[in-house]
Amino acid sequence: MNSIFSGTRLRDMIRSIRACKTAAEERGVVRKECADIRASINENDPHDRHRNLAKLMFIHMLGYPTHFGQMECLKLIASPGFPEKRIGYLGLMLLLDERQEVLMLVTNSLKQDLNHTNQYVVGLALCALGNICSAEMARDLAPEVERLIQFRDPNIRKKAALCSTRIVRKVPDLAENFINAASSLLKEKHHGVLITGVQLCYELCTINDEALEYFRKKCTEGLIKTLRDITNSAYQPEYDVAGITDPFLHIRLLKLLRVLGHGDADASDLMTDILAQVATKTESNKNAGNAVLYECVETIMAIEDTSSLRVLAINILGRFLSNRDNNIRYVALNMLMKAIAFDDQAVQRHRVTILECVKDPDASIRKRALELVSLLVNENNVKQLTKELIDYLEISDEDFKEDLSAKICSIVEKFSPEKIWYIDQMLKVLSEAGKFVKDDVWHALIVVISNASELHGYTVRALYKAVLTYSEQETLVRVAIWCIGEYGDLLVNNVGMLGIEDPITVTESDAVDVVEDAITRHNSDMTTKAMALVALLKLSSRFPSISERIKDIIVKQKGSLLLEMQQRAIEFNSIVDRHKNIRSSLVERMPVLDEATFNVRRAGSLPASVSTMAKPSVSIPNGVAAAPLVDLLDLGSDDIMAAPSSSGADFLQDLLGVDLGSSSAQSGATPGPKAGADLLMDILSIGTPSPAQNNTSSIDLLSTAGINNNPSNALDTLSSPAPPHIATTASAGGMFDLLDGLSPSPSKEATNGPAYPPIVAYESSTLKIEFTFAKPSGNPQETNVQATFINLSPNTFTDFIFQAAVPKFLQLHLDPASSNTLPASGNITQNLRVTNSQHGKKSLVMRMRIGYKLNGKDVLEEGQINNFPRGL
Amino acid sequence: MGIRFILMVNKQGQTRLAQYYEWLTLEERRALEGEIVRKCLARNDQQKCSFVEHRNYKIVYRRYASLFFMVGVDDDENELAILEFIHLLVETMDKHFGNVCELDIMFHLEKAHFMLEEMVMNGCIVETSKANILSPIQLMDKAH
């Protein structure tokens, strides 16, 4: 009998929920209903069950937890009446999912229902199975489903077919069982069964290659015939949608044909006729027609090439593009992206329309059009396209600006024909959308600027003008400060004017104004301020007349609350005050940063190294490795390798990766042999420096002074350069590992007497190498080695290079050799420093390669040195 | 594959019908519904494109009177076809309920679900003929 809490009817409950004005009220009502339902469940009253479940479903849809209802579903499913079963299965599908263990209990019920006499019940079971079966259930019940695919009633057949789709997806192994059944389904007349049959085949083809082959051979023609029938069939009111008979079936068939024809020329041949027919005959003034056309075009794109068909397809897309309906345009843009892959010309014709779409008020279309545009760019149209895009950047929405600016930057970078144009465009982008521009973009810009030495004057003047107008764009300010710092003298003296420029007068104090403004502005972040400080230091050397004012600014920053600023200010102040003599050599122009290396490195996505590059070049080893600025622990590479001499770019070479021997030789740089590029990329994967590079001296010295932080100390060592020395590299790029754990500078090496006997590392008929060892105090892991190369032959070796590689637990520093010409019976020396992280456990071992020219011929000698004394 | 979920949401953002073909927890569902609804409602004022991209799938939506029909599909699905499917769904419900409105769906939620079940199984479109879809439902109504 019904208790007092007989429960409200579903619609009453819904009404009461709707009447709630607040969320709290609604929760209250729902809670009460749930309590009622729970009470009713406990009573186990069969009459109310389905009403309860209906209510539960509604509540579940609103988002409240309904786990207590799950057993109810099971009971309902088990009951004999059809309505109860129906609700039970519905509840099952909504409230449960394949992960719940409760599902296992249902398996048995499902099995019985699959064999039920009433076909509707069978249909129910199939439905439920098709929606939520798990892998185990699939395995259990697969044979039943297979049998049902051949059932007499088409409704059951179609449901069984779709159920098998799910089974096959869950348990791909069972796919073979279904292949035959699926192919028989394809010959059906009933549209429902046909659709599901086609879907089953599609699924089988994607999962199982054998199935694909089978269907390709046997069924392609049948499918084509079916498609033809449908296209040509008379009006069928049952399936007609806007004049097309069953567009859904059309689309499914086309999809399956796509899979069958992809990669197979024969099948594609068979299809060309019907595809052409569909493409031309389908009306396109209704959405249904367009849908079919869209699918047709996609299929044409995917199958093997028939150029006439492809032209047809692209024409259709062109028509879509000019359609007023946004949906169609969106779809067309989507497809054109794929079309670019094989017919670029045709798509270029529509370039103007696509550009218009970038400015469309609809956000989805804008996004797609932008992606398409970036694929369309090539050398011919890059200038025009960029101009349009930048124009649009100024008026676009904030959220779109980020995408747009990123795309513009990548386009400009890839295709820029000349540097001045590149710099111009980047400046415009930075002015408009500076805050969206990512770090590596403006780093790249600085690389390019430093490489374009003839444009330095122009660049710095343009930047100066820009930053006056757009001083809120952080990135622009940073780039401007860096350039003003570097090339301030060019700015003030109007050096290097290009014909197109108007002369501007900038006084020194104007330039300093800009930098000061950047420091003092409250919304500059720390990077900008720090960069500004460094720029001030450079300017204090380049503009001696106002160095008092600069000093004042720096002094003011001594009291800054940011540690980074404080430290820099103090150090720079001390340089300005007490070290005027070396200040100018300190802040000499940055050496040109090597583009090729930068690009490769960037492509290898080493973020740390990139960030080091653009940073101020002042080579003060200020043990402050400021986190935002100089992440010099570039992937743990402590070893400073000399970059190939030519560029003088002192990148922190990544020892764990590829040693990048850049080949961009700048003329006028050291002649040093390009052996640096000839990397000893052996299995130990540690590159070697080429000792003829002379900049290493400065690098090594600076790196080691991390501990004793006295600028002058390092600078002293700086000023004792190893022979041949490039003036420009005296300041040497700042890419040093300032947290280099290696201690004393080489100037202190060999102070301890040799505690280990010298060894003959290598001996051949023409060359002998001796190593003498010294252990500098303080670090037992370190060894200083002096290598002496002795020429045993009567000829002179020129372009002598020694390269060495060590296993990963060792670290190696090579200093430049005393000379790279080895006269007959003469010798040259070179210092190495080795750090053994496995000191005591493993001894040193080294592989070396020697290259030199003998009578104009290149000679290479290689060897392994195993006879290091133990305990090094 | 195919269809991931079907939602019917009214203009105030209340879900009237939700059918998911892949598993999401309750919180995820509510969050998802909230996000999508906000996106669609915001767009409707200005633009006319019916497709929204959300995370890794596309939402095809259309507004009928006060109800938004939103279907989430995989990336490779034909959007125009889904649009047609939405229309077919509405027409089927219209045929059964006669001038269907939001209240009809709310009060006869299970019938709406049955109809949807006949049309879509496991994310794939099964039946597109209104007669075939409605016949079992009419039978059941008669049995009641």
Side-chain angles (χ1 to χ4, degrees):
Chain A
M1 290 291 117
N2 293 345
S3 67
I4 314 175
F5 305 102
S6 65
T8 51
R9 299 180 47 174
L10 176 62
R11 51 177 59 213
D12 297 330
M13 180 189 88
I14 297 181
R15 236 180 244 134
S16 56
I17 290 186
R18 284 194 56 179
C20 295
K21 303 258 182 340
T22 69
E25 236 183 290
E26 184 183 302
R27 276 199 296 271
V29 172
V30 169
R31 225 175 295 141
K32 183 169 165 308
E33 288 290 340
C34 285
D36 283 347
I37 295 177
R38 265 192 282 245
S40 176
I41 291 177
N42 282 339
E43 284 174 22
N44 228 342
D45 184 351
H47 298 288
D48 283 339
R49 255 190 224 140
H50 65 272
R51 181 188 299 159
N52 286 339
L53 199 57
K55 287 194 226 168
L56 269 179
M57 287 194 304
F58 189 83
I59 295 177
H60 176 83
M61 190 180 71
L62 290 176
Y64 297 95
T66 48
H67 322 291
F68 51 89
Q70 285 169 0
M71 290 310 288
E72 283 298 288
C73 296
L74 298 181
K75 287 187 208 152
L76 275 172
I77 292 177
S79 55
F82 181 73
E84 282 87 17
K85 270 196 200 282
R86 182 113 217 204
I87 279 260
Y89 275 116
L90 186 60
L92 186 76
M93 279 187 280
L94 284 180
L95 302 179
L96 286 160
D97 66 296
E98 62 187 62
R99 296 187 206 177
Q100 309 260 8
E101 283 85 24
V102 180
L103 222 48
M104 306 307 283
L105 297 173
V106 183
T107 317
N108 207 19
S109 300
L110 274 174
K111 197 169 198 162
Q112 286 175 342
D113 283 338
L114 281 176
N115 294 324
H116 208 274
T117 45
N118 185 340
Q119 61 167 1
Y120 290 104
V121 172
V122 179
L124 274 185
L126 279 172
C127 224
L129 195 62
N131 277 336
I132 56 169
C133 85
S134 62
E136 292 82 32
M137 285 170 73
R139 254 185 256 270
D140 286 338
L141 298 168
E144 305 291 330
V145 177
E146 253 181 83
R147 182 179 54 82
L148 286 169
I149 293 189
Q150 275 113 19
F151 204 78
R152 55 181 197 298
D153 185 65
N155 281 327
I156 301 296
R157 284 209 295 275
K158 79 180 186 224
K159 291 189 184 173
L162 214 44
C163 198
S164 352
T165 318
R166 187 179 175 104
I167 292 180
V168 162
R169 207 182 303 146
K170 284 286 167 192
V171 188
D173 306 326
L174 293 173
E176 288 101 29
N177 308 356
F178 288 100
I179 295 185
N180 282 326
S183 55
S184 64
L185 281 176
L186 288 177
K187 306 192 185 67
E188 293 278 343
K189 293 280 173 259
H190 187 269
H191 280 218
V193 186
L194 204 44
I195 278 193
T196 52
V198 167
Q199 276 174 179
L200 180 57
C201 295
Y202 184 78
E203 194 70 33
L204 285 171
C205 289
T206 36
I207 295 185
N208 189 322
D209 281 333
E210 290 175 20
L212 183 59
E213 284 309 312
Y214 178 81
F215 285 120
R216 210 176 251 165
K217 273 191 296 243
K218 298 278 185 66
C219 307
T220 316
E221 293 172 12
L223 283 171
I224 295 179
K225 182 168 175 307
T226 320
L227 186 55
R228 194 172 297 135
D229 287 341
I230 295 196
T231 326
N232 298 335
S233 70
Y235 177 69
Q236 278 184 16
E238 273 296 294
Y239 291 106
D240 180 80
V241 178
I244 304 186
T245 323
D246 208 345
F248 298 102
L249 186 56
H250 269 98
I251 293 176
R252 288 274 164 230
L253 283 170
L254 284 169
K255 253 206 176 122
L256 184 56
L257 284 177
R258 179 157 83 231
V259 167
L260 291 180
H262 182 67
D264 186 76
D266 296 326
S268 312
D269 274 337
L270 293 170
M271 290 180 216
T272 38
D273 279 341
I274 186 62
L275 286 173
Q277 187 183 356
V278 172
T280 43
K281 273 188 58 184
T282 322
E283 298 176 9
S284 64
N285 44 3
K286 284 291 173 68
N287 190 37
N290 285 328
V292 176
L293 277 177
Y294 177 38
E295 196 69 34
C296 191
V297 167
E298 251 195 271
T299 308
I300 294 180
M301 297 291 182
I303 64 175
E304 295 306 302
D305 183 30
T306 342
S307 47
S308 55
L309 262 190
R310 296 243 164 114
V311 167
L312 190 57
I314 298 198
N315 285 343
I316 296 181
L317 287 180
R319 262 194 351 245
F320 274 13
L321 256 190
S322 31
N323 197 309
R324 263 176 303 127
D325 187 353
N326 280 9
N327 296 340
I328 313 270
R329 275 195 291 163
Y330 179 88
V331 152
L333 286 172
N334 232 354
M335 279 265 63
L336 280 175
M337 278 205 287
K338 296 189 202 161
I340 280 201
F342 50 79
D343 195 352
D344 193 55
Q345 284 308 322
V347 187
Q348 292 279 359
R349 260 180 266 135
H350 299 288
R351 198 176 65 231
V352 179
T353 331
I354 299 177
L355 258 181
E356 283 307 309
C357 289
V358 175
K359 307 184 188 139
D360 199 273
D362 182 300
S364 309
I365 292 193
R366 273 209 298 263
K367 223 164 79 129
R368 284 263 165 255
L370 188 58
E371 280 177 36
L372 193 51
V373 163
S374 53
L375 288 175
L376 274 183
V377 171
N378 59 29
E379 289 80 20
N380 303 333
N381 56 24
V382 63
K383 281 202 174 161
Q384 164 117 33
L385 271 178
T386 326
K387 180 170 168 324
E388 299 255 347
L389 288 176
I390 292 187
D391 287 338
Y392 180 55
L393 185 62
E394 292 170 26
I395 50 177
S396 64
D397 309 321
E398 285 296 311
D399 42 350
F400 195 53
K401 263 193 188 173
E402 186 175 339
D403 285 337
L404 192 50
S405 56
K407 274 280 166 3
I408 296 180
C409 292
S410 63
I411 292 178
V412 166
E413 246 179 286
K414 266 197 290 192
F415 291 104
S416 67
E418 56 209 13
K419 289 208 162 65
I420 180 170
W421 183 83
Y422 177 74
I423 296 179
D424 272 338
Q425 305 306 315
M426 290 305 294
L427 252 120
K428 284 199 207 129
V429 174
L430 283 180
S431 318
E432 281 303 323
K435 48 182 164 342
F436 300 112
V437 170
K438 295 209 179 55
D439 278 343
D440 48 344
V441 172
W442 60 276
H443 294 166
L445 174 62
I446 291 192
V447 173
V448 170
I449 292 180
S450 81
N451 270 317
S453 42
E454 69 281 3
L455 295 173
H456 285 166
Y458 170 74
T459 315
V460 68
R461 276 184 288 274
L463 275 168
Y464 176 76
K465 279 185 255 182
V467 81
L468 286 179
T469 342
Y470 295 103
S471 52
E472 322 80 50
Q473 299 288 355
E474 199 76 33
T475 338
L476 179 66
V477 171
R478 283 186 207 163
V479 176
I481 294 182
W482 190 87
C483 286
I484 292 181
E486 274 293 300
Y487 311 120
D489 45 340
L490 302 182
L491 173 64
V492 174
N493 302 328
N494 270 341
V495 173
M497 297 279 289
L498 301 181
I500 44 175
E501 292 187 58
D502 310 315
I504 57 171
T505 33
V506 182
T507 65
E508 293 176 349
S509 67
D510 284 339
V512 176
D513 277 342
V514 170
V515 183
E516 181 178 7
D517 185 53
I519 292 191
T520 47
R521 208 158 30 120
H522 62 93
N523 56 352
S524 312
D525 70 352
M526 200 169 82
T527 320
T528 319
K529 288 190 183 167
M531 286 178 76
L533 261 187
V534 178
L536 278 178
L537 182 68
K538 295 183 199 171
L539 288 179
S540 79
S541 152
R542 306 198 208 286
F543 298 161
S545 55
I546 45 170
S547 70
E548 271 311 302
R549 179 175 164 206
I550 295 183
K551 185 153 132 37
D552 284 338
I553 304 177
I554 298 185
V555 164
K556 234 190 300 177
Q557 290 300 318
K558 278 214 259 193
S560 154
L561 292 174
L562 301 168
L563 176 61
E564 172 67 16
M565 299 293 290
Q566 215 183 63
Q567 184 147 14
R568 286 186 183 222
I570 295 176
E571 289 173 3
F572 294 172
N573 193 27
S574 79
I575 296 183
V576 171
D577 267 343
R578 285 174 283 163
H579 299 282
K580 291 208 172 53
N581 50 336
I582 42 98
R583 187 176 52 179
S584 52
S585 59
L586 255 187
V587 298
E588 274 192 24
R589 284 254 200 287
M590 268 275 267
V592 174
L593 307 162
D594 181 18
E595 252 177 306
T597 329
F598 173 63
N599 285 336
V600 176
R601 165 164 298 242
R602 189 160 149 221
S605 64
L606 302 168
S609 60
V610 170
S611 66
T612 62
M613 237 210 33
K615 289 316 164 279
S617 60
V618 179
S619 48
I620 296 190
N622 52 359
V624 180
L629 277 200
V630 197
D631 180 5
L632 297 175
L633 293 181
D634 175 24
L635 290 186
S637 61
D638 291 323
D639 202 350
I640 314 297
M641 298 305 186
S645 63
S646 46
S647 58
D650 305 306
F651 287 94
L652 216 59
Q653 300 262 344
D654 177 16
L655 291 187
L656 303 178
V658 173
D659 186 4
L660 309 166
S662 155
S663 51
S664 63
Q666 303 258 342
S667 55
T670 5
K674 249 7 230 115
D678 166 24
L679 311 168
L680 205 72
M681 286 238 285
D682 62 348
I683 43 169
L684 303 178
S685 73
I686 296 188
T688 63
S690 96
Q693 313 321 336
N694 35 47
N695 337 343
T696 53
S697 61
S698 30
I699 308 167
D700 278 345
L701 304 177
L702 292 172
S703 68
T704 60
I707 305 206
N708 37 358
N709 220 348
N710 200 338
S712 45
N713 187 3
L715 298 174
D716 287 343
T717 52
L718 231 197
S719 47
S720 58
H725 176 72
I726 302 184
T728 57
T729 64
S731 50
M735 280 56 83
F736 309 130
D737 181 3
L738 297 182
L739 292 188
D740 192 332
L742 307 177
S743 46
S745 54
S747 57
K748 298 202 208 113
E749 73 184 282
T751 47
N752 313 342
Y756 299 92
I759 59 167
V760 174
Y762 174 81
E763 186 155 357
S764 76
S765 56
T766 48
L767 184 63
K768 183 164 147 186
I769 306 184
E770 279 181 1
F771 282 178
T772 50
F773 303 101
K775 276 281 193 195
S777 54
N779 190 348
Q781 294 184 338
E782 284 241 330
T783 310
N784 291 330
V785 181
Q786 186 175 51
T788 312
F789 307 98
I790 305 172
N791 184 349
L792 302 174
S793 79
N795 307 312
T796 305
F797 298 160
T798 51
D799 295 340
F800 185 86
I801 292 190
F802 168 74
Q803 293 171 317
V806 289
K808 284 209 168 89
F809 60 87
L810 295 176
Q811 284 158 346
L812 179 64
H813 275 238
L814 278 174
D815 293 336
S818 54
S819 123
N820 53 359
T821 309
L822 200 55
S825 311
N827 62 3
I828 54 179
T829 54
Q830 185 166 10
N831 291 327
L832 302 81
R833 195 168 52 251
V834 186
T835 306
N836 185 357
S837 61
Q838 302 262 359
H839 173 72
K841 293 178 232 154
K842 295 194 187 166
S843 68
L844 302 181
V845 47
M846 189 186 293
R847 221 191 236 179
M848 44 136 252
R849 196 202 301 204
I850 305 182
Y852 53 87
K853 274 203 176 58
L854 177 59
N855 296 334
K857 276 190 311 183
D858 284 313
V859 182
L860 261 181
E861 299 191 47
E862 288 184 317
Q864 185 151 341
I865 308 172
N866 295 325
N867 51 348
F868 282 98
R870 294 218 111 250
L872 274 181
Chain B
M1 90 139 242
I3 302 181
R4 303 270 190 107
F5 55 84
I6 302 184
L7 298 173
M8 294 185 205
V9 183
N10 76 353
K11 277 207 301 204
Q12 280 82 36
Q14 297 171 309
T15 314
R16 292 299 172 212
L17 184 145
Q19 175 81 289
Y20 287 84
Y21 295 102
E22 56 169 7
W23 167 246
L24 287 176
T25 64
L26 216 47
E27 298 82 33
E28 285 175 24
R29 288 186 194 191
R30 295 190 78 169
L32 183 70
E33 285 166 24
E35 280 173 28
I36 299 181
V37 164
R38 243 174 290 133
K39 270 197 184 171
C40 292
L41 287 171
R43 292 163 56 90
N44 196 39
D45 305 325
Q46 318 144 19
Q47 307 94 351
K48 291 159 265 161
C49 181
S50 298
F51 315 127
V52 179
E53 274 168 46
H54 181 82
R55 303 216 198 132
N56 56 339
Y57 35 70
K58 298 189 271 214
I59 318 277
V60 182
Y61 73 97
R62 200 177 240 181
R63 180 168 159 243
Y64 288 86
S66 63
L67 211 53
F68 280 89
F69 286 76
M70 294 183 272
V71 180
V73 293
D74 285 331
D75 264 333
D76 55 354
E77 191 74 29
N78 184 336
E79 299 97 339
L80 299 175
I82 301 292
L83 218 47
E84 278 306 312
F85 164 72
I86 296 179
H87 194 70
L88 183 69
L89 178 60
V90 174
E91 279 187 356
T92 315
M93 287 201 293
D94 194 54
K95 194 161 171 206
H96 181 81
F97 289 112
N99 277 337
V100 65
C101 63
E102 188 184 339
L103 285 178
D104 282 329
I105 301 181
M106 273 175 59
F107 282 121
H108 300 284
L109 189 57
E110 54 310 343
K111 292 230 188 76
H113 267 284
F114 292 151
M115 244 183 287
L116 195 51
E117 249 176 54
E118 293 283 330
M119 293 176 76
V120 180
M121 237 174 81
N122 195 25
C124 311
I125 301 180
V126 171
E127 181 64 64
T128 52
S129 147
K130 293 200 263 292
N132 287 357
I133 296 172
L134 292 176
S135 71
I137 302 182
Q138 282 158 354
L139 271 177
M140 209 179 71
D141 280 345
K142 264 193 269 173
H144 262 238

